[in-house]
Amino acid sequence: DAGVTQSPTHLIKTRGQQVTLRCSPKSGHDTVSWYQQALGQGPQFIFQYYEEEERQRGNFPDRFSGHQYPNYSSELNVNALLLGDSALYLCASGRAGGFPGTDTQYFGPGTRLTVL
Amino acid sequence: AQTVTQSQPEMSVQEAETVTLSCTYDTSENNYYLFWYKQPPSRQMILVIRQEAYKQQNATENRFSVNFQKAAKSFSLKISDSQLGDTAMYFCAFLSTGSSKIIFGKGTRLHILP
């Protein structure tokens, strides 16, 4: 059983560009959450998707948007990239009816985004 | 707003020793969940242990145990018989009941020395 997978592993972009990161949840999971982890910091919640809709959102600007497909996979889109968007982006999947924090938070290995 | 504070940026201990990582949090809620996550160099965030706030009994998972002091809003992690594979960043985290947003501390980098 494959766990949570993310692509690409690494990505380099320049300021002003747009980027799309992808996440495939663990088998049996139907929610996907995205986190941004800046260097030396803990992850910060961006948003969660369930049933193809954004269910909850953290304190991130509208430049950050997402999508969830019928197969539960998800994309994170960031427009007009800033230098400060350089970070590790983590995806976490879970079951909507699962036990909070455990059945709902299996993390992927992340995508390292560098903005030059 | 809830906050999570880890006051030890970095720690080092000898293999087989016991180490305790500290965490404090701030919330006005009565029901919530607390977690310790491990992030090794591979970057994969792994759940180590969880605690439900309504349970008075401290959670244990093999060599890992917590000291949960609800009134003091303290949630420390004890690692017994530490192993080289325990070397990683450790994050304390908080989750409100009914929320999907896990709030993480800044982490403690733990080095287990041979």
Side-chain angles (χ1 to χ4, degrees), chain A residues 9-114:
Chain A
T9 304
H10 297 91
L11 203 52
I12 299 175
K13 292 286 187 178
T14 57
R15 279 184 302 171
Q17 285 188 313
Q18 180 265 342
V19 68
T20 297
L21 310 181
R22 295 177 174 82
C23 172
S24 292
K26 180 179 169 64
S27 177
H29 286 185
D30 51 12
T31 70
V32 174
S33 300
W34 287 92
Y35 289 80
Q36 180 194 66
Q37 186 178 13
L39 195 62
Q41 303 292 318
Q44 289 197 309
F45 178 80
I46 302 174
F47 43 52
Q48 184 186 71
Y49 274 82
Y50 172 58
E51 292 186 331
E52 302 180 45
E53 291 188 357
E54 183 182 291
R55 185 161 77 163
Q56 187 173 358
R57 188 179 183 93
N59 189 25
F60 279 80
D62 292 345
R63 298 187 298 109
F64 290 77
S65 63
H67 188 79
Q68 185 179 36
Y69 294 93
N71 68 352
Y72 308 119
S73 66
S74 176
E75 290 179 351
L76 165 65
N77 301 295
V78 187
N79 295 323
L81 284 168
L82 304 173
L83 296 180
D85 295 332
S86 294
L88 179 68
Y89 287 85
L90 296 169
C91 164
S93 76
R95 296 185 299 116
F99 190 89
T102 52
D103 293 341
T104 58
Q105 297 291 346
Y106 285 79
F107 283 84
T111 293
R112 172 76 65 191
L113 173 64
T114 301

Side-chain angles (χ1 to χ4, degrees), chain B residues 11-66:
Chain B
M11 299 181 69
S12 296
V13 296
Q14 295 294 134
E15 192 176 8
E17 289 186 345
T18 294
V19 59
T20 299
L21 280 58
S22 301
C23 172
T24 58
Y25 60 94
D26 188 28
T27 183
S28 58
E29 299 178 9
N30 191 49
N31 293 320
Y32 48 86
Y33 305 89
L34 295 166
F35 311 94
W36 280 96
Y37 282 89
K38 169 185 178 181
Q39 188 177 39
S42 66
R43 309 184 319 202
Q44 191 108 26
M45 194 77 74
I46 302 165
L47 178 66
V48 174
I49 198 166
R50 73 166 190 259
Q51 175 80 42
E52 295 93 317
Y54 60 86
K55 290 187 177 179
Q56 293 186 340
Q57 185 174 6
N58 290 323
T60 62
E61 286 287 343
N62 301 312
R63 298 184 294 108
F64 299 87
S65 61
V66 298

